[in-house]
Amino acid sequence: MRNPMYPLPPARRAAVFLLSFAAAFCGAAQHEQVIDLSPGWNAVYLEVTPHERDPASVFDGVPVEMVWAYFPPTGPTEFIADPDEGLWNVPGWHVYLPEHREDAALTNLYAVIAPRAYLIKLGGDAPVAWTVAGTPAQRAPDWVPGGHTLAGLPVDPDTTVNFGSFFHASPAHRNQPYHRLTPEGAWVRAHNSTPVNRGEAYWIHTAGPSAYHAPLEAEPGSGATLDFGESGVERTLRLTNHTDWTATVDLGVSGFPLLIGESSGGRTSWSAADETTLEIPAGVERTLRFGLDRSALAGEARGVLRVAGADIVHWIALEAEEPASGGDGPQGIGPAGNAPHAGLWIGSVTVDAVSDVNDPGDPAAPRPTPAEFSKRIMVHVDASGVARLLKEAILLWQDGEDDPVTGETVVPGRYVLLTDHDLIPNFRGSVLRDGRPFGHRVSAASFDFEETELVMRGAFGDALLADIAVGRDLPTNPFRHAFHPDHNHRDAENQPLGDTSVGREEVWPVYREVELV
């Protein structure tokens, strides 16, 4: 049993979409996306969440007449709306109208966030370079099965990629209708040979369910960023090559002391992640391990990880903070490989062999399984080094405190992890879904026990042991069935079964010994 673990344009178009990013080392990040807007209608795909999300601030100095954003209603989208004919009565559309308009009171778009598509009508007769500074945000679009999705595609702006090659690996998107917006406000059909522009939004039809993002996908292990917080030691990034050829992937880091780990002989060596080149064969998924050199950290750090390959470019936000204790907390990973372990660790157990208790030869000898299977495991290590096995954890947000007179932040907000559901009302959601805050729940359903957590013996980083007992009365006991008279651990009169001698059991307790090395 293996236990790898980790801690928590060529086509005719009036508007040309250009992207550029810059990063600052400490404090507020200054990642910039620049989009050239042309007079008339522009369908853009914003990949940076601005520091100031108020539309009036985001579009300050830009002569916009109106801005529409689409929040899909439940169910397939069977229409492609024409903004020049008005979207007022079309479900799902929200609008920002500048204050100088007489109908500005009809505004119901109150925040500009990414990643999201926007329809922008630019006034005047001259192009404008719209610059948005903030945090890069990326994730796969929420494709609507059997309908249309308004989205952009993360192509490399320095190469030519058409719709046919981009969606070649996705049966749900291959040869489906694609539409792009003209400055006059009409959606026109694009074809497989039509080049894709970075930062432009398209109506894309999906034939069925799909989680496809790009020929080369880059998915952080938790959330949409690589956020090390105050005590995070290690984060992961999963790369998947959906193409039919080996992809050469280049990593670039801006403004962040990011390290990449390489395992060999049971040990992990760490080196600077900047200017790293990887080869990922066709159809292969690879998980990269990243660490943070906190010795190079001065206050808050914000940066960008650039992942480029297969004519695709992903920009992933990097974040870290100094421990609130002023240096007494975890110091991160250094090139020498020292790593404290406080925090939440999420990993996968890959089972490739099991023993057969009915084996007449050696019932304890593991036998190879026909195929490997994996299941998640979660361990939390507190500040004193005590490790606990968890069944689930919920990531929420605790608001900070501001001085009532000066308005300055006295106690900064922070993320919190909960295992007690009764505490959920005391906090706010940590992630946004359709503009609303939700908690992010992670569970390890394969490891079950009576309480919410189980203290483990040993030390994380060396060996951990836990004894799991799934009692007869635990509702999740696999032998128990609440409504079957032969599997409810009760007698014919529905009273608890007292006789549990051999041959009389209806529900067996399950005992498991877990050892992590």
Side-chain angles (χ1 to χ4, degrees):
M1 184 180 296
R2 302 195 304 271
N3 300 283
M5 298 198 65
Y6 48 88
L8 214 54
R12 297 187 62 185
R13 175 75 170 150
V16 180
F17 296 85
L18 302 176
L19 298 176
S20 66
F21 288 85
F25 181 74
C26 296
Q30 290 295 328
H31 315 303
E32 293 185 347
Q33 180 181 4
V34 181
I35 300 178
D36 282 355
L37 303 176
S38 293
W41 284 102
N42 302 263
V44 306
Y45 192 67
L46 189 64
E47 299 177 276
V48 169
T49 296
H51 299 308
E52 298 292 335
R53 302 181 183 183
D54 174 52
S57 300
V58 174
F59 295 103
D60 184 33
V62 181
V64 297
E65 294 184 8
M66 62 179 65
V67 178
W68 291 93
Y70 184 61
F71 297 86
T74 303
T77 305
E78 299 297 346
F79 60 87
I80 298 179
D82 186 343
D84 211 40
E85 295 182 359
L87 302 172
W88 305 99
N89 297 318
V90 182
W93 287 98
H94 293 247
V95 67
Y96 162 68
L97 302 169
E99 291 185 358
H100 65 78
R101 292 179 55 117
E102 294 182 356
D103 54 357
L106 299 178
T107 289
N108 60 356
L109 176 64
Y110 304 110
V112 176
I113 59 176
R116 185 171 294 281
Y118 295 89
L119 306 186
I120 301 175
K121 188 172 186 180
L122 187 71
D125 54 8
V128 173
W130 178 41
T131 302
V132 181
T135 302
Q138 67 121 39
R139 62 177 173 84
D142 296 324
W143 302 113
V144 178
H148 293 85
T149 304
L150 187 60
L153 307 176
V155 298
D156 186 342
D158 295 328
T159 62
T160 300
V161 182
N162 58 38
F163 283 98
S165 61
F166 187 92
F167 286 121
H168 175 74
S170 175
H173 296 93
R174 192 186 308 135
N175 300 321
Q176 293 298 306
Y178 322 114
H179 290 80
R180 60 204 312 252
L181 185 65
T182 68
E184 294 74 31
W187 292 97
V188 297
R189 179 73 178 266
H191 303 279
N192 282 335
S193 59
T194 303
V196 178
N197 296 319
R198 183 71 181 254
E200 184 175 359
Y202 308 92
W203 278 114
I204 300 171
H205 189 270
T206 311
S210 176
Y212 183 79
H213 191 192
L216 175 70
E217 294 184 356
E219 183 180 357
S222 179
T225 67
L226 295 180
D227 187 356
F228 291 85
E230 293 183 356
S231 59
V233 174
E234 189 175 326
R235 296 293 182 263
T236 61
L237 180 72
R238 185 169 67 249
L239 301 182
T240 306
N241 179 13
H242 292 292
T243 70
D244 296 329
W245 61 88
T246 297
T248 300
V249 180
D250 295 317
L251 304 181
V253 182
S254 175
F256 200 85
L258 189 69
L259 304 173
I260 188 169
E262 186 69 27
S263 298
S264 178
R267 299 185 62 86
T268 301
S269 60
W270 299 90
S271 59
D274 196 15
E275 300 182 359
T276 299
T277 299
L278 310 166
E279 298 288 336
I280 302 182
V284 169
E285 176 184 295
R286 181 174 177 182
T287 298
L288 306 182
R289 298 170 59 192
F290 290 103
L292 170 65
D293 183 4
R294 290 191 179 270
S295 65
L297 201 63
E300 294 182 348
R302 301 290 184 269
V304 178
L305 172 63
R306 181 181 186 270
V307 181
D311 297 330
I312 301 298
V313 175
H314 297 287
W315 298 90
I316 299 171
L318 303 169
E319 302 180 11
E321 300 177 11
E322 283 190 314
S325 59
D328 295 334
Q331 297 302 306
I333 298 174
N338 58 305
H341 305 116
L344 177 68
W345 295 68
I346 305 174
S348 61
V349 176
T350 300
V351 180
D352 54 16
V354 298
S355 60
D356 183 357
V357 297
N358 297 311
D359 189 332
D362 187 355
R367 308 295 184 187
T369 58
E372 296 181 350
F373 63 94
S374 298
K375 50 189 178 181
R376 180 180 290 163
I377 188 169
M378 300 169 55
V379 176
H380 181 266
V381 183
D382 65 19
S384 62
V386 176
R388 291 174 172 84
L389 191 66
L390 301 184
K391 296 188 293 187
E392 70 171 4
I394 304 170
L395 180 67
L396 295 171
W397 177 259
Q398 183 179 37
D399 287 330
E401 298 180 9
D402 296 337
D403 188 299
V405 179
T406 64
E408 296 182 356
T409 299
V410 178
V411 178
R414 65 189 183 99
Y415 289 104
V416 295
L417 281 169
L418 301 183
T419 57
D420 186 350
H421 286 211
D422 293 337
L423 298 178
I424 292 177
N426 299 330
F427 304 95
R428 296 175 54 196
S430 58
V431 295
L432 286 177
R433 296 175 186 169
D434 295 330
R436 298 173 58 195
F438 286 85
H440 181 72
R441 177 179 176 270
V442 185
S443 63
S446 297
F447 296 89
D448 191 24
F449 36 88
E450 189 167 359
E451 303 296 334
T452 59
E453 56 190 42
L454 183 65
V455 176
M456 307 184 76
R457 307 187 304 277
F460 197 102
D462 182 13
L464 286 174
L465 300 97
D467 297 323
I468 300 178
V470 181
R472 289 187 172 91
D473 296 325
L474 198 65
T476 52
N477 185 302
F479 299 108
R480 183 181 182 86
H481 195 299
F483 303 105
H484 195 296
D486 294 335
H487 298 280
N488 61 3
H489 195 53
R490 292 179 176 272
D491 59 22
E493 297 179 357
N494 202 33
Q495 297 301 312
L497 192 64
D499 185 1
T500 57
S501 58
V502 176
R504 295 285 300 170
E505 308 97 324
E506 287 189 353
V507 178
W508 288 267
V510 179
Y511 300 100
R512 305 172 68 186
E513 296 179 357
V514 177
E515 181 179 5
L516 305 180
V517 179

